[in-house]
Amino acid sequence: MDVGNQTSVTEFILLGLTDNPKLLGPLFVLFLLFYILSLFGNISIIALITIEPRLHTPMYFFLSNLSLSDCCYSSVIAPKMLADFFSSKKVISFIGCAAQSYFFTWFVTIEGYMLAAMAYDRYAAICHPLLYPLIINSNTCILLVTTVYLGACMTAAVYIGCIFHTSFCGPNIIDHFYCDLMPLMNLSCSDTFVRRTVIFLVVFSFGLPCFIITVASYIYIIAAILKIHTTACRPKVFSTCGSHLAVICLFYGTTLFIYLQLPSSDSVTQSKVVSVFYTLVNPMLNPLIYSLRNEEVKRAVWKCIHANKNVID
Protein backbone atom coordinates (compact mmCIF):
# COMPACT_ATOMS: atom_id res chain seq x y z
CA MET A 1 0.00 0.00 0.00
CA ASP A 2 1.30 3.49 -0.82
CA VAL A 3 2.06 5.48 2.31
CA GLY A 4 2.94 8.68 0.51
CA ASN A 5 6.28 10.31 1.00
CA GLN A 6 7.00 8.78 4.43
CA THR A 7 10.35 7.08 4.28
CA SER A 8 12.88 5.55 6.62
CA VAL A 9 15.69 5.82 4.08
CA THR A 10 17.84 8.93 4.58
CA GLU A 11 20.68 7.98 2.24
CA PHE A 12 21.52 5.68 -0.63
CA ILE A 13 24.65 3.65 -1.28
CA LEU A 14 26.00 3.66 -4.83
CA LEU A 15 27.90 0.53 -5.82
CA GLY A 16 29.69 2.40 -8.60
CA LEU A 17 31.14 1.07 -11.84
CA THR A 18 33.41 -1.65 -10.49
CA ASP A 19 34.75 -3.08 -7.25
CA ASN A 20 38.01 -4.23 -8.88
CA PRO A 21 40.79 -2.17 -7.18
CA LYS A 22 43.12 -2.63 -10.18
CA LEU A 23 40.67 -0.78 -12.44
CA LEU A 24 39.94 2.16 -10.14
CA GLY A 25 43.08 4.17 -10.97
CA PRO A 26 42.97 3.79 -14.77
CA LEU A 27 39.20 4.40 -14.92
CA PHE A 28 39.51 7.49 -12.73
CA VAL A 29 42.18 8.98 -15.01
CA LEU A 30 40.20 8.06 -18.15
CA PHE A 31 36.89 9.52 -16.94
CA LEU A 32 38.58 12.62 -15.52
CA LEU A 33 40.09 13.18 -18.96
CA PHE A 34 36.67 12.68 -20.61
CA TYR A 35 35.10 15.20 -18.23
CA ILE A 36 37.81 17.83 -18.71
CA LEU A 37 37.63 17.47 -22.50
CA SER A 38 33.84 17.69 -22.34
CA LEU A 39 33.93 20.93 -20.35
CA PHE A 40 36.70 22.43 -22.47
CA GLY A 41 35.06 21.49 -25.77
CA ASN A 42 31.55 22.64 -24.93
CA ILE A 43 32.63 25.87 -23.20
CA SER A 44 34.84 26.60 -26.22
CA ILE A 45 31.88 26.12 -28.57
CA ILE A 46 29.73 28.48 -26.47
CA ALA A 47 32.52 31.09 -26.30
CA LEU A 48 33.25 30.81 -30.03
CA ILE A 49 29.60 31.29 -30.97
CA THR A 50 29.33 34.23 -28.58
CA ILE A 51 32.37 36.17 -29.88
CA GLU A 52 32.18 35.33 -33.60
CA PRO A 53 29.54 37.48 -35.40
CA ARG A 54 29.32 35.10 -38.37
CA LEU A 55 28.03 32.40 -36.02
CA HIS A 56 25.18 34.55 -34.73
CA THR A 57 22.60 32.51 -36.62
CA PRO A 58 19.69 30.35 -35.41
CA MET A 59 21.60 27.10 -36.02
CA TYR A 60 24.49 28.16 -33.79
CA PHE A 61 22.16 29.69 -31.22
CA PHE A 62 20.62 26.23 -30.82
CA LEU A 63 24.09 24.66 -30.84
CA SER A 64 25.26 26.88 -27.98
CA ASN A 65 22.27 25.77 -25.93
CA LEU A 66 23.01 22.14 -26.80
CA SER A 67 26.60 22.63 -25.58
CA LEU A 68 25.28 24.22 -22.39
CA SER A 69 23.08 21.18 -21.69
CA ASP A 70 26.08 18.90 -22.36
CA CYS A 71 28.16 20.81 -19.81
CA CYS A 72 25.38 20.72 -17.24
CA TYR A 73 24.27 17.11 -17.37
CA SER A 74 27.82 15.74 -17.39
CA SER A 75 28.63 18.01 -14.41
CA VAL A 76 25.65 16.66 -12.49
CA ILE A 77 27.12 13.13 -12.65
CA ALA A 78 30.90 13.29 -13.16
CA PRO A 79 32.19 15.04 -9.98
CA LYS A 80 30.32 12.67 -7.65
CA MET A 81 31.28 9.63 -9.74
CA LEU A 82 34.96 10.62 -9.74
CA ALA A 83 34.95 11.31 -6.00
CA ASP A 84 33.41 7.88 -5.32
CA PHE A 85 36.28 6.06 -7.01
CA PHE A 86 38.38 6.44 -3.85
CA SER A 87 35.58 6.54 -1.27
CA SER A 88 35.25 3.58 1.05
CA LYS A 89 31.50 4.15 1.28
CA LYS A 90 29.80 5.65 -1.76
CA VAL A 91 26.93 7.41 0.02
CA ILE A 92 24.54 10.05 -1.29
CA SER A 93 21.82 11.63 0.83
CA PHE A 94 18.16 11.24 -0.01
CA ILE A 95 17.89 14.95 -0.92
CA GLY A 96 21.16 14.78 -2.87
CA CYS A 97 19.91 11.77 -4.82
CA ALA A 98 16.64 13.52 -5.63
CA ALA A 99 18.50 16.67 -6.75
CA GLN A 100 20.94 14.67 -8.90
CA SER A 101 18.09 12.76 -10.54
CA TYR A 102 16.09 15.93 -11.16
CA PHE A 103 18.85 17.99 -12.74
CA PHE A 104 20.19 15.08 -14.77
CA THR A 105 16.71 14.34 -16.12
CA TRP A 106 16.14 18.05 -16.81
CA PHE A 107 19.33 18.58 -18.79
CA VAL A 108 19.12 15.27 -20.69
CA THR A 109 15.54 16.12 -21.65
CA ILE A 110 16.72 19.56 -22.79
CA GLU A 111 19.23 17.75 -25.00
CA GLY A 112 16.52 15.65 -26.65
CA TYR A 113 14.17 18.59 -27.15
CA MET A 114 17.00 20.80 -28.45
CA LEU A 115 17.97 18.18 -31.02
CA ALA A 116 14.38 18.27 -32.29
CA ALA A 117 14.49 22.08 -32.52
CA MET A 118 17.79 21.90 -34.41
CA ALA A 119 16.37 19.28 -36.79
CA TYR A 120 13.38 21.54 -37.51
CA ASP A 121 15.77 24.44 -38.11
CA ARG A 122 17.77 22.41 -40.65
CA TYR A 123 14.52 21.26 -42.31
CA ALA A 124 13.36 24.86 -42.71
CA ALA A 125 16.77 25.99 -44.03
CA ILE A 126 17.16 23.22 -46.61
CA CYS A 127 13.60 22.45 -47.66
CA HIS A 128 12.26 26.04 -47.56
CA PRO A 129 15.32 28.28 -48.05
CA LEU A 130 13.37 31.28 -49.35
CA LEU A 131 10.96 31.22 -46.41
CA TYR A 132 13.65 30.38 -43.83
CA PRO A 133 14.10 33.96 -42.51
CA LEU A 134 10.35 34.12 -41.89
CA ILE A 135 10.05 30.63 -40.37
CA ILE A 136 13.11 30.82 -38.12
CA ASN A 137 13.74 34.33 -36.85
CA SER A 138 15.00 35.69 -33.53
CA ASN A 139 11.53 35.57 -31.93
CA THR A 140 11.03 31.98 -33.08
CA CYS A 141 14.44 30.97 -31.69
CA ILE A 142 13.72 32.49 -28.29
CA LEU A 143 10.25 30.90 -28.22
CA LEU A 144 11.61 27.46 -29.15
CA VAL A 145 14.45 27.55 -26.61
CA THR A 146 12.15 28.84 -23.86
CA THR A 147 9.68 26.07 -24.65
CA VAL A 148 12.49 23.51 -24.56
CA TYR A 149 13.71 24.60 -21.12
CA LEU A 150 10.24 24.90 -19.58
CA GLY A 151 9.02 21.64 -21.15
CA ALA A 152 12.10 19.78 -19.91
CA CYS A 153 11.70 21.33 -16.46
CA MET A 154 8.10 20.11 -16.18
CA THR A 155 8.99 16.68 -17.56
CA ALA A 156 11.77 16.26 -14.99
CA ALA A 157 9.45 17.44 -12.21
CA VAL A 158 6.89 14.75 -13.13
CA TYR A 159 9.63 12.11 -13.24
CA ILE A 160 11.08 13.01 -9.87
CA GLY A 161 7.67 13.52 -8.29
CA CYS A 162 6.61 10.02 -9.36
CA ILE A 163 9.77 8.42 -8.02
CA PHE A 164 10.54 10.28 -4.80
CA HIS A 165 6.93 10.76 -3.64
CA THR A 166 6.94 7.13 -2.61
CA SER A 167 7.96 5.11 0.42
CA PHE A 168 11.57 3.92 0.68
CA CYS A 169 11.61 1.66 3.71
CA GLY A 170 13.82 -1.25 2.71
CA PRO A 171 17.04 -1.65 0.72
CA ASN A 172 18.98 1.52 -0.07
CA ILE A 173 21.69 0.09 -2.34
CA ILE A 174 21.72 1.34 -5.94
CA ASP A 175 23.72 -0.84 -8.30
CA HIS A 176 24.86 2.11 -10.39
CA PHE A 177 27.26 5.07 -10.27
CA TYR A 178 24.48 7.68 -10.02
CA CYS A 179 20.84 7.90 -8.96
CA ASP A 180 19.28 6.44 -12.07
CA LEU A 181 15.49 6.51 -12.24
CA MET A 182 14.65 2.85 -12.81
CA PRO A 183 16.93 1.41 -10.06
CA LEU A 184 15.40 3.93 -7.67
CA MET A 185 11.89 2.89 -8.68
CA ASN A 186 12.79 -0.73 -8.01
CA LEU A 187 13.80 0.15 -4.42
CA SER A 188 10.42 1.67 -3.57
CA CYS A 189 8.22 -0.11 -1.05
CA SER A 190 5.10 1.41 -2.60
CA ASP A 191 3.03 0.15 -5.47
CA THR A 192 4.76 1.81 -8.44
CA PHE A 193 2.38 0.70 -11.20
CA VAL A 194 0.53 4.03 -11.37
CA ARG A 195 3.77 6.00 -11.23
CA ARG A 196 5.38 3.89 -13.95
CA THR A 197 2.26 4.46 -16.07
CA VAL A 198 2.49 8.23 -15.54
CA ILE A 199 6.17 8.24 -16.51
CA PHE A 200 5.38 6.20 -19.63
CA LEU A 201 2.60 8.62 -20.59
CA VAL A 202 4.93 11.61 -20.10
CA VAL A 203 7.60 10.01 -22.28
CA PHE A 204 4.99 9.07 -24.88
CA SER A 205 3.39 12.52 -24.86
CA PHE A 206 6.56 14.63 -24.96
CA GLY A 207 9.47 12.42 -25.98
CA LEU A 208 7.82 10.63 -28.88
CA PRO A 209 6.75 13.81 -30.72
CA CYS A 210 10.31 15.17 -30.45
CA PHE A 211 11.70 11.94 -31.82
CA ILE A 212 9.15 11.98 -34.67
CA ILE A 213 9.95 15.63 -35.48
CA THR A 214 13.66 14.80 -35.58
CA VAL A 215 13.28 11.72 -37.78
CA ALA A 216 10.68 13.32 -40.08
CA SER A 217 12.82 16.44 -40.53
CA TYR A 218 15.78 14.38 -41.70
CA ILE A 219 13.66 12.26 -44.00
CA TYR A 220 12.55 15.46 -45.75
CA ILE A 221 16.12 16.83 -45.66
CA ILE A 222 17.62 13.72 -47.25
CA ALA A 223 14.88 13.69 -49.89
CA ALA A 224 15.56 17.37 -50.66
CA ILE A 225 19.31 16.75 -50.92
CA LEU A 226 18.82 13.86 -53.33
CA LYS A 227 16.74 16.13 -55.55
CA ILE A 228 19.62 18.60 -55.92
CA HIS A 229 20.74 18.36 -59.54
CA THR A 230 24.14 19.97 -58.96
CA THR A 231 26.20 17.19 -57.39
CA ALA A 232 28.85 19.70 -56.30
CA CYS A 233 26.36 21.23 -53.85
CA ARG A 234 25.45 17.95 -52.18
CA PRO A 235 28.66 17.48 -50.13
CA LYS A 236 28.31 20.99 -48.69
CA VAL A 237 24.70 20.36 -47.64
CA PHE A 238 25.54 16.93 -46.25
CA SER A 239 28.43 18.47 -44.30
CA THR A 240 26.08 21.04 -42.79
CA CYS A 241 23.67 18.36 -41.55
CA GLY A 242 26.09 15.47 -41.05
CA SER A 243 27.44 16.66 -37.70
CA HIS A 244 23.95 17.18 -36.29
CA LEU A 245 22.81 13.78 -37.55
CA ALA A 246 25.84 12.11 -35.94
CA VAL A 247 25.00 13.73 -32.58
CA ILE A 248 21.37 12.59 -32.91
CA CYS A 249 22.45 9.00 -33.57
CA LEU A 250 24.77 9.02 -30.54
CA PHE A 251 22.12 10.47 -28.24
CA TYR A 252 19.16 8.33 -29.28
CA GLY A 253 21.28 5.21 -29.81
CA THR A 254 22.59 5.15 -26.23
CA THR A 255 19.33 6.31 -24.66
CA LEU A 256 17.14 3.77 -26.46
CA PHE A 257 19.61 0.99 -25.64
CA ILE A 258 19.38 1.81 -21.93
CA TYR A 259 15.60 1.99 -21.65
CA LEU A 260 14.51 -0.60 -24.23
CA GLN A 261 16.85 -3.46 -23.34
CA LEU A 262 15.28 -6.61 -21.89
CA PRO A 263 16.07 -7.42 -18.25
CA SER A 264 18.84 -10.02 -17.92
CA SER A 265 21.76 -10.93 -15.72
CA ASP A 266 24.01 -8.74 -17.85
CA SER A 267 21.59 -5.80 -18.19
CA VAL A 268 22.93 -3.95 -15.14
CA THR A 269 26.52 -4.12 -16.37
CA GLN A 270 25.48 -3.12 -19.89
CA SER A 271 23.42 -0.25 -18.48
CA LYS A 272 26.45 1.07 -16.57
CA VAL A 273 28.71 0.90 -19.61
CA VAL A 274 26.22 2.62 -21.91
CA SER A 275 25.44 5.19 -19.18
CA VAL A 276 29.12 6.18 -19.25
CA PHE A 277 28.68 6.94 -22.94
CA TYR A 278 25.73 9.28 -22.60
CA THR A 279 26.93 10.93 -19.37
CA LEU A 280 30.60 11.45 -20.29
CA VAL A 281 31.53 10.29 -23.78
CA ASN A 282 28.67 11.89 -25.75
CA PRO A 283 29.16 15.37 -24.21
CA MET A 284 32.87 15.06 -25.03
CA LEU A 285 32.28 13.94 -28.63
CA ASN A 286 29.61 16.48 -29.53
CA PRO A 287 31.91 19.54 -29.74
CA LEU A 288 34.52 17.44 -31.58
CA ILE A 289 31.92 16.35 -34.14
CA TYR A 290 30.71 19.91 -34.70
CA SER A 291 34.21 21.41 -34.88
CA LEU A 292 35.71 18.74 -37.16
CA ARG A 293 32.79 18.41 -39.59
CA ASN A 294 31.62 22.02 -39.73
CA GLU A 295 33.57 24.34 -42.03
CA GLU A 296 32.13 27.52 -40.49
CA VAL A 297 33.20 26.46 -37.01
CA LYS A 298 36.68 25.53 -38.24
CA ARG A 299 37.06 28.90 -39.97
CA ALA A 300 35.93 30.68 -36.80
CA VAL A 301 38.45 28.71 -34.73
CA TRP A 302 41.31 29.60 -37.09
CA LYS A 303 40.20 33.23 -37.11
CA CYS A 304 40.34 33.35 -33.30
CA ILE A 305 43.75 31.63 -33.26
CA HIS A 306 45.20 34.11 -35.75
CA ALA A 307 43.64 37.05 -33.88
CA ASN A 308 45.24 35.87 -30.64
CA LYS A 309 48.60 35.46 -32.41
CA ASN A 310 48.42 39.03 -33.67
CA VAL A 311 47.60 40.29 -30.19
CA ILE A 312 50.53 38.37 -28.70
CA ASP A 313 52.91 39.59 -31.43
Side-chain angles (χ1 to χ4, degrees):
M1 184 177 71
D2 194 348
V3 291
N5 200 29
Q6 298 175 0
T7 176
S8 59
V9 173
T10 59
E11 63 183 23
F12 294 99
I13 298 173
L14 300 169
L15 295 185
L17 278 169
T18 179
D19 55 0
N20 187 338
K22 294 182 180 180
L23 295 177
L24 294 179
L27 288 178
F28 175 82
V29 173
L30 180 64
F31 295 149
L32 178 61
L33 179 63
F34 284 168
Y35 181 52
I36 292 173
L37 290 175
S38 173
L39 288 182
F40 175 77
N42 285 292
I43 292 173
S44 297
I45 289 288
I46 295 171
L48 187 66
I49 292 171
T50 301
I51 64 177
E52 176 53 53
R54 287 187 299 180
L55 300 182
H56 292 176
T57 64
M59 182 176 74
Y60 294 106
F61 176 68
F62 294 133
L63 176 57
S64 64
N65 281 276
L66 185 74
S67 294
L68 178 62
S69 69
D70 283 335
C71 282
C72 291
Y73 83 73
S74 61
S75 296
V76 170
I77 302 298
K80 172 64 177 171
M81 181 189 72
L82 292 169
D84 283 345
F85 269 102
F86 301 106
S87 299
S88 58
K89 193 176 182 182
K90 304 174 179 64
V91 174
I92 185 169
S93 67
F94 185 88
I95 298 299
C97 188
Q100 186 187 63
S101 296
Y102 174 78
F103 285 109
F104 178 72
T105 304
W106 185 24
F107 291 120
V108 169
T109 307
I110 287 173
E111 180 106 348
Y113 292 176
M114 197 65 67
L115 288 173
M118 293 174 72
Y120 178 71
D121 171 72
R122 291 299 83 206
Y123 159 76
I126 294 171
C127 298
H128 303 285
L130 298 179
L131 297 176
Y132 179 70
L134 296 176
I135 299 174
I136 306 292
N137 51 47
S138 58
N139 291 333
T140 307
C141 290
I142 293 172
L143 178 62
L144 282 173
V145 169
T146 302
T147 302
V148 164
Y149 279 89
L150 292 179
C153 180
M154 290 187 289
T155 301
V158 172
Y159 267 59
I160 303 309
C162 286
I163 292 173
F164 284 93
H165 194 69
T166 62
S167 174
F168 291 93
C169 54
N172 67 335
I173 298 175
I174 302 174
D175 191 5
H176 219 301
F177 59 87
Y178 71 99
C179 291
D180 196 12
L181 299 179
M182 289 302 106
L184 279 167
M185 187 74 79
N186 293 334
L187 294 178
S188 175
C189 301
S190 306
D191 183 3
T192 60
F193 174 76
V194 174
R195 291 176 171 82
R196 289 177 187 270
T197 303
V198 171
I199 290 175
F200 172 79
L201 290 175
V202 170
V203 173
F204 185 82
S205 301
F206 293 96
L208 185 61
C210 287
F211 180 74
I212 292 173
I213 289 171
T214 304
V215 172
S217 295
Y218 269 91
I219 290 174
Y220 281 108
I221 288 170
I222 292 171
I225 292 173
L226 294 177
K227 290 178 182 178
I228 296 176
H229 297 293
T230 308
T231 56
C233 295
R234 289 182 184 176
K236 183 179 179 180
V237 181
F238 270 120
S239 177
T240 303
C241 299
S243 55
H244 183 220
L245 193 56
V247 170
I248 289 172
C249 292
L250 281 172
F251 177 79
Y252 281 109
T254 52
T255 304
L256 291 176
F257 182 88
I258 286 290
Y259 293 105
L260 296 183
Q261 64 177 333
L262 296 174
S264 68
S265 58
D266 298 325
S267 62
V268 174
T269 302
Q270 291 173 353
S271 176
K272 290 181 183 180
V273 172
V274 179
S275 293
V276 169
F277 272 86
Y278 74 75
T279 56
L280 285 176
V281 179
N282 284 6
M284 178 193 68
L285 290 179
N286 288 355
L288 290 175
I289 292 170
Y290 279 110
S291 60
L292 292 176
R293 291 186 56 88
N294 192 298
E295 292 297 328
E296 288 182 322
V297 172
K298 286 192 285 188
R299 283 196 295 268
V301 169
W302 283 113
K303 180 181 176 181
C304 290
I305 292 173
H306 289 309
N308 289 332
K309 279 185 178 181
N310 293 334
V311 171
I312 294 172
D313 294 339

